[in-house]
Amino acid sequence: MLFWLKEDMAPQELTRRLAAVITHIDEIMQQEIRPLLAVDIIEQLHRQFAILSGGRGKDGAPIITFPEFVGFKHIPDEDFLNVMTYLTSVPSAEAASIGFVIVIDRRMDKWSSIKASLTRIAVAFPGNLQLIFILRPSSFIQRAITDIGIKYYRDEFKRKVPIIMLNSISDLHDYIAKSQLTEDLGGTLEYRHSQWISHRTAIENFALTVKTTAQMLQTVGSRLSATELPRGMVSTEELFVLHTRQWDKLRDELKLLGKQGAMLLSCIQEPATKNPTSKLNANELENVATIERLLVQLDETEKAFSQFWSKHHLKLNQCLQLQHFEHKFCEVKLALDNLLAEQAEFTDLGDSVMRVEQLLKEHEKLEGKGQEPLEKAQLLALIGDQLIQSHHYAADSIRPKCAELRHLCDDFTNENRKKYDMLGKSLELHRQLDKVSHWCEAGIYLLASQAVDKCQSREGVDVALNDIEAFLDTAKEYQLPSPKEFYNQFELMLTLDLEKIDSPENLSPIRRVIRDLLETEEIYIKEIKSIIDGYITPMDFIWLKHLIPDVLQNNKDFLFGNITELYEFHNRTFLKELEKCTENPELLASCFLRRKEDLQIYFKYHKNLPRAAAIWQECQDCAYFGVCQRQLDHNLPLFKYLRGPSQRLIKYQTLLKVKSTRQGFSLLGKQMPVLCCSFP
């Protein structure tokens, strides 16, 4: 079915589109450089030994701050690496490519803390470093130690990134604007670490949910499309309801997920929404952009599955429509068949006016009985037309059923009209016959009532003759037609009547032979035609080529021989000549004798038959023959039908072995063995 081919493409398209969504989500969340999620290192993030505040350097470089943190040197290397890897993966790829600016605040700490920070940065910082600012310790002793210690580290770090030592916050402001620094660094940038973690966790959860949903919809789509459609109408309706409920549930989940994303977006934008003068920092702007991109992917997910569902829903709906149509078709066709069978039983044309009038009433009753089935059939045919116009996948199956329904309706209506006409003529015939009968009875009564004694005189005879002549003149009042006019008026009735002395049991022997010849000839021609249409012609179909082995493809002419030549001869020539013998049985002998030379095509066919048998023996198990046999609904394999022509001439000889006194027929009986003797 064409729809199934279209449907087969739907899950592939769904899988492709949702795979693209999953890839885009991974790109948005930078999964290739961020193996961890916030929830995976939530405890390390909450320790706040390093933060991504959202501030930017003058050239847009993201700022990572190492605030005052007691025990920084005791943080495990793995925890430090995880946090650094995560923080450097949060900014956009464009911002990260500029390089990161690190601000290390150790005003209340010692040189050992600075040393530990620089060592870890040198060893484990995963991003592109642009610049390091260090707020040196406030203590005079620690500052002196720092100045000495930094001399040993500066040269090593200069190879990677410049280090700028700062004595105070004001010095830092010379390099970074206050609006890009948090309050603890003398800046105006609002930053709440717990809120940042909450937003990051929510965004990643949302991204993971969108990705999981897309993967789940891939699986659901494949499962739905692979579901085998039941053949029963009730089972299909149940499947239709089940799949629709699943879709409704999925659609509600997608809508809920969209609302969650919109709510998260609103939550991040809330500061700028409440206060028009407030601006979102770089982190918040990137979070907004991330959610918006995720919402776009969610929308694409919903669109992809909605389009798949539309095709799948159409598939289920059309399957259900087809089953409803076929169920109704069987009901309506059965009703029409019964109606036509009942109509066919009305063969009686009546033998009297009273009987014909009774038949007309019965026929009118049957016509009334047929109105409902006819209306149902016509309505169902219109429904079928609508299904065809809507490009139903089974249009090729629906179209002939619609034609059959209309054909049955026309048959009933035309036969009704014909029977009404016949009964009307029968009624008129019997009325005129009644008139004639009554007139004849009156004449008989008139003749019988003449007194013999009155005819003994001239006067009595004249009176009687006058009475008879007066009665004969009354024939004009009955408007009785002449015999020729009567026959012309009721020719059809009289012909039907006569056709009933022409029954099969009353046929002469030669007419029976002709009848049997014609019946078997038509069957023979149909069988040959089925082989040509069902086996030979499809061998050229591209979509069946893979079922045909090379040995069969190369020897198909030998397998079928000149069977096409046999078909053309019988269909175009011989059948028509046999039909002429119906009216002139004496032509039968000359028909066979005249075609004696033409029948020699059988010799060519039979000569090839052993080679055909060998080819069949080698190829009989190939899938192509099985497909053709099922399509033709043949009970027997191909070669059983290929042997048919070898029996045809024998059949002619058998049918013609009848006794007849006709010379031509007797001559034919002698000639047939000569015609057949050359063949096995």
Side-chain angles (χ1 to χ4, degrees):
M1 298 181 185
L2 295 177
F3 178 84
W4 297 108
L5 295 176
K6 295 179 182 177
E7 169 68 7
D8 288 343
M9 297 301 296
Q12 296 177 12
E13 177 64 14
L14 175 68
T15 299
R16 184 192 66 76
R17 292 177 65 177
L18 293 184
V21 167
I22 294 169
T23 300
H24 290 156
I25 293 174
D26 288 342
E27 291 173 352
I28 292 170
M29 302 310 295
Q30 303 188 65
Q31 288 296 300
E32 70 281 359
I33 61 172
R34 184 194 306 158
L36 299 172
L37 299 176
V39 70
D40 299 327
I41 55 171
I42 193 72
E43 293 183 3
Q44 295 92 318
L45 290 175
H46 273 298
R47 296 178 72 180
Q48 202 172 342
F49 59 81
I51 63 172
L52 186 69
S53 64
R56 293 287 191 270
K58 292 181 180 179
D59 55 357
I63 298 174
I64 295 179
T65 304
F66 288 81
E68 293 285 356
F69 187 84
V70 178
F72 180 82
K73 62 183 177 180
H74 299 299
I75 295 173
D77 291 341
E78 182 180 0
D79 291 355
F80 179 82
L81 178 60
N82 287 340
V83 171
M84 287 299 101
T85 300
Y86 182 81
L87 293 181
T88 54
S89 68
V90 171
S92 66
E94 181 181 0
S97 66
I98 300 173
F100 289 87
V101 172
I102 293 180
V103 177
I104 303 175
D105 185 4
R106 293 294 181 261
R107 288 173 295 172
M108 305 300 295
D109 214 330
K110 302 177 181 179
W111 158 246
S112 60
S113 177
I114 297 175
K115 178 181 177 182
S117 300
L118 291 175
T119 300
R120 282 185 163 168
I121 291 170
V123 173
F125 190 80
N128 178 27
L129 271 173
Q130 184 190 90
L131 190 63
I132 297 177
F133 293 101
I134 300 177
L135 285 169
R136 69 178 70 196
S138 319
S139 165
F140 176 78
I141 296 176
Q142 290 299 323
R143 179 173 294 189
I145 295 173
T146 299
D147 289 341
I148 295 171
I150 196 67
K151 291 180 181 179
Y152 294 97
Y153 278 85
R154 187 185 300 275
D155 292 340
E156 182 178 350
F157 264 91
K158 275 185 178 178
R159 298 174 188 172
K160 298 180 180 180
V161 61
I163 299 175
I164 298 177
M165 300 295 297
L166 302 172
N167 293 323
S168 64
I169 292 176
S170 59
D171 293 341
L172 180 62
H173 295 166
D174 293 337
Y175 295 94
I176 302 175
K178 290 184 178 182
S179 61
Q180 302 300 316
L181 295 171
T182 55
E183 293 180 357
D184 59 327
L185 294 177
T188 59
L189 180 66
E190 294 184 5
Y191 176 78
R192 292 187 291 278
H193 191 61
S194 60
Q195 184 186 63
W196 181 86
I197 293 176
S198 176
H199 285 176
R200 290 304 309 168
T201 304
I203 291 171
E204 289 170 358
N205 284 341
F206 180 66
L208 181 61
T209 304
V210 174
K211 180 178 178 179
T212 303
T213 300
Q215 292 170 333
M216 180 267 293
L217 291 179
Q218 278 183 321
T219 304
V220 171
S222 298
R223 187 177 70 250
L224 291 181
S225 62
T227 302
E228 184 176 353
L229 293 178
R231 295 185 178 181
M233 191 164 57
V234 175
S235 300
T236 304
E237 288 175 344
E238 291 174 351
L239 183 67
F240 185 86
V241 171
L242 176 63
H243 283 194
T244 302
R245 286 176 179 171
Q246 291 179 3
W247 160 242
D248 291 340
K249 181 181 179 182
L250 290 172
R251 183 173 54 186
D252 291 342
E253 291 176 357
L254 288 170
K255 288 182 179 179
L256 179 60
L257 187 57
K259 290 180 180 179
Q260 292 174 353
M263 187 179 299
L264 178 59
L265 181 63
S266 176
C267 181
I268 294 175
Q269 292 176 325
E270 184 178 4
T273 304
K274 288 185 175 180
N275 185 3
T277 61
S278 177
K279 294 183 179 180
L280 299 179
N281 62 41
N283 275 352
E284 292 167 334
L285 289 173
E286 288 189 345
N287 286 344
V288 167
T290 297
I291 297 173
E292 288 177 341
R293 292 174 67 189
L294 289 172
L295 286 172
V296 169
Q297 296 308 310
L298 178 61
D299 183 62
E300 172 58 23
T301 298
E302 184 175 7
K303 285 180 180 178
F305 197 80
S306 294
Q307 291 176 6
F308 163 79
W309 170 253
S310 296
K311 295 178 181 178
H312 183 71
H313 180 270
L314 178 63
K315 164 188 170 181
L316 291 176
N317 195 38
Q318 287 193 342
C319 179
L320 194 57
Q321 288 173 340
L322 179 62
Q323 291 180 344
H324 276 292
F325 177 82
E326 291 182 338
H327 177 73
K328 288 292 184 184
F329 173 79
C330 292
E331 288 183 348
V332 172
K333 186 177 183 302
L334 178 61
L336 289 176
D337 287 342
N338 292 336
L339 195 65
L340 287 167
E342 189 174 350
Q343 184 188 59
E345 294 177 0
F346 278 84
T347 58
D348 191 2
L349 296 177
D351 54 5
S352 66
V353 172
M354 184 178 297
R355 176 58 180 159
V356 175
E357 289 176 343
Q358 178 63 28
L359 288 172
L360 282 168
K361 289 180 181 179
E362 293 177 4
H363 198 68
E364 185 177 355
K365 183 179 179 181
L366 177 63
E367 185 178 31
K369 181 181 177 182
Q371 290 307 306
E372 184 178 355
L374 288 176
E375 290 174 0
K376 287 184 177 180
Q378 291 165 353
L379 177 59
L380 187 60
L382 288 175
I383 293 173
D385 290 341
Q386 292 172 357
L387 293 178
I388 294 170
Q389 292 171 5
S390 65
H391 306 291
H392 195 285
Y393 71 87
D396 291 341
S397 173
I398 296 171
R399 190 175 289 105
K401 290 182 173 63
C402 293
E404 185 175 0
L405 290 174
R406 293 190 170 99
H407 179 69
L408 291 174
C409 290
D410 291 342
D411 283 351
F412 181 79
T413 302
N414 293 336
E415 189 62 24
N416 252 6
R417 190 180 300 112
K418 180 180 177 181
K419 287 187 180 294
Y420 267 124
D421 292 343
M422 295 297 297
L423 288 172
K425 289 186 178 295
S426 179
L427 183 61
E428 179 63 23
L429 173 62
H430 286 293
R431 282 175 176 170
Q432 292 200 28
L433 291 176
D434 281 354
K435 286 182 181 181
V436 174
S437 179
H438 293 155
W439 186 78
C440 290
E441 288 175 0
I444 293 170
Y445 178 77
L446 175 63
L447 293 174
S449 64
Q450 295 297 322
V452 178
D453 57 348
K454 291 183 179 180
C455 296
Q456 299 299 323
S457 65
R458 174 75 181 194
E459 292 80 4
V461 172
D462 290 339
V463 171
L465 290 174
N466 288 335
D467 289 342
I468 293 172
E469 289 176 358
F471 176 77
L472 290 174
D473 289 339
T474 61
K476 298 177 181 179
E477 298 175 6
Y478 289 91
Q479 298 180 345
L480 296 177
S482 66
K484 184 176 181 180
E485 291 174 345
F486 186 84
Y487 178 80
N488 290 337
Q489 184 176 356
F490 300 105
E491 178 182 3
L492 182 58
M493 293 281 301
L494 297 173
T495 303
L496 287 174
D497 232 11
L498 291 172
E499 285 177 351
K500 294 179 182 178
I501 306 165
D502 199 20
S503 58
E505 56 269 23
N506 294 327
L507 289 175
S508 64
I510 191 170
R511 286 187 180 274
R512 290 179 192 167
V513 170
I514 294 173
R515 183 195 63 186
D516 292 342
L517 276 173
L518 286 173
E519 290 178 355
T520 57
E521 187 75 2
E522 290 175 353
I523 294 172
Y524 175 59
I525 291 173
K526 287 180 180 178
E527 285 185 354
I528 297 180
K529 185 67 162 58
S530 70
I531 293 173
I532 295 172
D533 292 343
Y535 285 95
I536 299 177
T537 301
M539 294 187 79
D540 295 326
F541 295 167
I542 296 176
W543 56 89
L544 293 178
K545 289 287 187 182
H546 66 288
L547 300 178
I548 305 173
D550 292 339
V551 64
L552 175 58
Q553 186 68 45
N554 297 333
N555 292 282
K556 63 180 181 179
D557 292 336
F558 294 106
L559 176 62
F560 297 100
N562 62 329
I563 196 168
T564 303
E565 187 180 9
L566 294 178
Y567 169 76
E568 295 296 332
F569 168 71
H570 283 273
N571 186 52
R572 294 187 177 182
T573 305
F574 203 58
L575 178 61
K576 293 180 173 59
E577 294 192 0
L578 289 178
E579 288 173 344
K580 295 177 182 177
C581 298
T582 303
E583 297 299 326
N584 300 296
E586 63 273 10
L587 297 177
L588 183 60
S590 61
C591 174
F592 276 88
L593 295 174
R594 187 170 60 254
R595 293 298 173 183
K596 177 181 177 181
E597 296 299 325
D598 292 332
L599 289 170
Q600 294 302 314
I601 58 175
Y602 278 86
F603 182 82
K604 180 180 177 182
Y605 184 87
H606 287 283
K607 186 177 180 181
N608 177 70
L609 202 57
R611 186 168 185 177
I615 297 170
W616 168 255
Q617 190 67 28
E618 186 175 357
C619 304
Q620 61 180 325
D621 294 329
C622 76
Y624 174 77
F625 289 129
V627 170
C628 295
Q629 183 175 345
R630 287 192 296 274
Q631 186 69 25
L632 291 169
D633 200 22
H634 278 181
N635 295 324
L636 300 175
L638 168 63
F639 203 72
K640 294 291 185 181
Y641 294 95
L642 291 178
R643 289 188 181 275
S646 67
Q647 304 299 322
R648 188 56 187 165
L649 288 182
I650 307 301
K651 181 68 173 177
Y652 290 148
Q653 185 177 7
T654 302
L655 287 173
L656 294 172
K657 283 183 179 179
V658 296
K659 294 181 180 179
S660 174
T661 58
R662 294 180 180 270
Q663 182 179 358
F665 200 70
S666 299
L667 177 62
L668 179 61
K670 296 177 182 178
Q671 291 290 336
M672 280 308 296
V674 178
L675 294 175
C676 300
C677 66
S678 303
F679 308 116

